[in-house]
Amino acid sequence: MADILKHLDLNSVDGTRLNIDALYQIVPSAFTEVRDDKTGEISRKVNFEVLRRLLGDNATDGDGEMYQFTWVGKNAARAEAAKPTDKTLRPVPEDSVDWDNTKNVYIEGDNLEVLKLLQRSYMSKVKMIYIDPPYNTGNDFVYHDDFARPVAEEDLEAGNVDELGNRFRKNTDTNGKFHSDWCSMIYSRLLVARSLLTEDGVIFISIDDNEVRNLRNICDEVFGEHNFVANFIWEKRLNRENRKEVSVRHDYILCYTKMVEEQKRSLSLLPMNDKALSNYGNPDNDPRGLWKSDPAHAQGGHGTKSQFYTLTAPNGKKHELPSGRCWLYTEDVMNEAIKDNRIWFGKDGNGVPRIKTYLNAKERGLTPETLLFAKDASTNEKAKNDLKDLFDGIAVFETPKPVELIKLFCLLSSKSDDIILDFFSGSSATAQAVMQLNSEDGGHRKYIMVQIPEETPEDSEARNAGYATIPEIAKERIRRAGAKIKADSPLTTQNLDTGFRVYRLDESNYENVSLSPKEYKQDQLDLFANNIKSDRTDLDLLYGSMLAWGVRLDLPLQAETVDGCTIYTVNEGDLVAYFSSGITDKVVAAMADKSPLRVLFRDACFKEDAQKINIYEQFKQALDWADNDAFNNIRVI
């Protein structure tokens, strides 16, 4: 009974467990239960023989030739993506803006670890991801993952050397490591990021010629080739560069959706512009409103026998099909459309038949095009100058993406209350784009920015201006951009959220107590009673536990004092927490009065096990919980 209050699992999601759970939902008959000899616990395991029989001829052992994309280190990258992390995110209110009210989140830290930590709280909740990862120019990049291995080990796996170190082929840039490090870096992150997307979520990835081919192959594997939406070509530069053999004026933006839905667009239509609207009119005063005429015939090869006929107009004129064409409608349907005045024969009735398409009978919008010209999406140079102007003439960041470009993708893929994620956020152009779009359409989109604390170059304008890291630039950019947006449109942006909560990736809140008690000195034994690091605050423990228990980081928080101690309430009861030593009946009553979905205590709250049993029973009685409810809803750390 002493263990009746269950300890909260503080590690991130186990990616392997996610895959097993997903497979179980599809083929439960391929699973069996196995008891662990050491713990006695029963767990589900895959029975591969049953799974193979279910798959029939669609299973392969991987022997022989097959179509696949691989590189040295791919298996290690896949394993790293699935491996849990025990790191945590610590709140930094002093760097934040409007902490109590904002729904936006800014996170400093390596994005692979951060993405893992976000899985429980944000799985299937992010509508759109935009990332601008480091392009592989042959230089080192700052994402040094744990699965990066020595050259000798990679050479051995790639077959470049034998076990004695004898080299078989030259070690050129095209031989493994030049591309494989980059592929491993992006592959592991995309594997985790996919789990955060909603089922109809969309991802946009900026890239150049160096890795666009490999990125396309990786995305085909991670998201599915059938979920490819487009490869946008963005005109990033207006002027020719004569320094190179070919002046490259474009970059790519690959777009994938998590799940293609039948009869549903992956991207929204763009707003109708004046040019598009000018195509609509109403020369015959049709009561159904504005319309435009479209061809009434199509390629004949796609038609059925019933779509080949001589069309008779209301004035008796006969219209024959052009060579190789068929009518869009069968003859009966066409005649009904003519009677209903939905076919246009020109003002004099003698013109070529055309179908009337009504403005109000379809979505008002334009299909986005793969060519993104600078006039619509801006350029790198303008993005850099705009950021320079925002920082009073200081060039704080060399390669920002245009706000207009990212705002376009937000417009195509998100609605009013959606969450937008950028985990290579750089100077946080994405945050500015989200705020700008919200100010224009009255939306309440929320963003999550993630950026590794990369140092600014020595003697750079940014360093000389006092910005030691890229996150320092980004946070200041968001502050300034938010203030400017509100100043530019004061009447329509009073309720615009320009704040953000800052979190910083750090080591676990808890001391490592994996050693057995006899291996510790006498003065270290209190680690087992209180294993929380001395520099951690209540808020560190609270937000770390929220991540572990699947509670979002942007929810409102209230703190109140009861019996001289603090009770924390997240989102009016999503989570109620108490960390002080010494717990009283009055505290328990105050917590239960919140009608909480989750209740959290610190182990040090209890002087003896009997108190845990008493707490368990008090919450059961106060909230009318069954044993199973109490067991699942109360945790200790």
Side-chain angles (χ1 to χ4, degrees), residues 262-462:
E262 291 188 15
Q263 307 302 319
K264 186 176 180 181
R265 304 179 61 89
S266 298
L267 302 178
S268 301
L269 296 173
L270 291 169
M272 297 283 283
N273 54 35
D274 291 340
K275 181 179 179 182
L277 287 171
S278 66
N279 294 323
Y280 289 84
N282 195 358
D284 61 348
N285 295 315
D286 192 315
R288 285 164 289 211
L290 297 174
W291 55 269
K292 68 182 181 72
S293 67
D294 290 313
H297 46 69
Q299 290 289 343
H302 300 294
T304 63
K305 184 178 180 179
S306 60
Q307 290 173 263
F308 294 88
Y309 53 87
T310 299
L311 187 153
T312 303
N315 64 2
K317 182 177 180 180
K318 306 292 184 180
H319 293 273
E320 303 292 343
L321 280 165
S323 176
R325 309 288 288 183
C326 70
W327 298 114
L328 283 176
Y329 301 154
T330 64
E331 189 169 9
D332 288 343
V333 173
M334 182 67 77
N335 288 333
E336 284 297 320
I338 291 173
K339 290 179 183 178
D340 197 31
N341 191 29
R342 288 185 286 114
I343 305 298
W344 176 245
F345 293 92
K347 290 184 177 181
D348 59 4
N350 291 314
V352 175
R354 292 176 67 84
I355 292 175
K356 293 163 72 171
T357 301
Y358 297 91
L359 181 61
N360 292 325
K362 60 179 292 186
E363 292 181 87
R364 290 197 182 194
L366 301 173
T367 302
E369 297 182 301
T370 54
L371 292 178
L372 304 177
F373 294 105
K375 63 182 178 61
D376 300 312
S378 193
T379 63
N380 273 338
E381 183 179 8
K382 185 176 186 302
K384 185 176 179 179
N385 288 335
D386 286 347
L387 184 58
K388 186 176 179 180
D389 290 342
L390 194 62
F391 279 80
D392 304 320
I394 303 172
V396 293
F397 197 77
E398 287 298 314
T399 56
K401 282 295 184 288
V403 170
E404 292 84 354
L405 177 71
I406 304 173
K407 190 176 73 171
L408 173 63
F409 296 143
C410 292
L411 184 65
L412 288 174
S413 60
S414 69
K415 299 268 189 305
S416 174
D417 294 316
D418 287 333
I419 298 174
I420 293 167
L421 168 66
D422 184 344
F423 55 90
F424 287 97
S425 60
S427 68
S428 283
T430 300
Q432 183 174 343
V434 171
M435 292 189 295
Q436 185 65 52
L437 183 56
N438 282 341
S439 74
E440 294 171 4
D441 69 2
H444 301 282
R445 299 169 187 83
K446 299 162 282 289
Y447 63 73
I448 302 174
M449 301 290 105
V450 184
Q451 175 60 39
I452 195 168
E454 181 181 354
E455 294 184 353
T456 54
E458 293 284 352
D459 297 327
S460 63
E461 289 189 48

Side-chain angles (χ1 to χ4, degrees), residues 104-341:
N104 300 316
V105 173
Y106 186 93
I107 303 173
E108 299 179 28
D110 180 274
N111 52 17
L112 180 56
E113 300 290 332
V114 171
L115 289 171
K116 291 179 183 181
L117 289 171
L118 293 178
Q119 278 185 300
R120 280 200 174 100
S121 299
Y122 290 91
M123 187 172 294
S124 299
K125 292 180 180 175
V126 174
K127 184 60 170 65
M128 183 273 229
I129 296 174
Y130 170 78
I131 56 172
D132 180 21
Y135 295 174
N136 190 9
T137 60
N139 299 319
D140 288 339
F141 44 88
V142 298
Y143 296 89
H144 300 295
D145 298 323
D146 293 338
F147 54 82
R149 296 170 300 163
V151 174
E153 186 177 337
E154 292 193 354
D155 278 344
L156 180 61
E157 183 174 331
N160 298 336
V161 298
D162 62 19
E163 293 182 358
L164 298 177
N166 299 311
R167 182 167 294 281
F168 294 136
R169 58 178 79 98
K170 291 182 179 180
N171 187 19
T172 64
D173 280 349
T174 59
N175 202 25
K177 195 171 178 62
F178 179 79
H179 290 289
S180 64
D181 276 358
W182 190 91
C183 288
S184 291
M185 182 275 297
I186 198 69
Y187 181 56
S188 58
R189 286 158 175 81
L190 290 179
L191 283 171
V192 183
R194 182 185 178 277
S195 70
L196 303 181
L197 282 173
T198 60
E199 291 306 300
D200 61 346
V202 181
I203 184 170
F204 299 88
I205 310 173
S206 287
I207 199 66
D208 69 354
D209 277 312
N210 288 305
E211 296 292 351
V212 65
R213 176 183 60 183
N214 290 334
L215 180 61
R216 178 76 181 266
N217 286 330
I218 289 172
C219 287
D220 282 349
E221 178 175 328
V222 173
F223 298 99
E225 187 174 358
H226 59 289
N227 288 321
F228 169 76
V229 177
N231 184 6
F232 292 97
I233 312 298
W234 165 52
E235 185 184 22
K236 67 176 181 179
R237 181 183 296 114
L238 289 174
N239 300 319
R240 181 192 306 273
E241 278 190 334
N242 288 322
R243 300 175 298 169
K244 301 177 180 179
E245 184 173 4
V246 175
S247 178
V248 179
R249 291 176 51 190
H250 73 278
D251 271 352
Y252 306 94
I253 298 99
L254 287 180
C255 177
Y256 283 77
T257 184
K258 185 175 180 180
M259 189 73 67
V260 168
E261 296 187 47
E262 291 188 15
Q263 307 302 319
K264 186 176 180 181
R265 304 179 61 89
S266 298
L267 302 178
S268 301
L269 296 173
L270 291 169
M272 297 283 283
N273 54 35
D274 291 340
K275 181 179 179 182
L277 287 171
S278 66
N279 294 323
Y280 289 84
N282 195 358
D284 61 348
N285 295 315
D286 192 315
R288 285 164 289 211
L290 297 174
W291 55 269
K292 68 182 181 72
S293 67
D294 290 313
H297 46 69
Q299 290 289 343
H302 300 294
T304 63
K305 184 178 180 179
S306 60
Q307 290 173 263
F308 294 88
Y309 53 87
T310 299
L311 187 153
T312 303
N315 64 2
K317 182 177 180 180
K318 306 292 184 180
H319 293 273
E320 303 292 343
L321 280 165
S323 176
R325 309 288 288 183
C326 70
W327 298 114
L328 283 176
Y329 301 154
T330 64
E331 189 169 9
D332 288 343
V333 173
M334 182 67 77
N335 288 333
E336 284 297 320
I338 291 173
K339 290 179 183 178
D340 197 31
N341 191 29

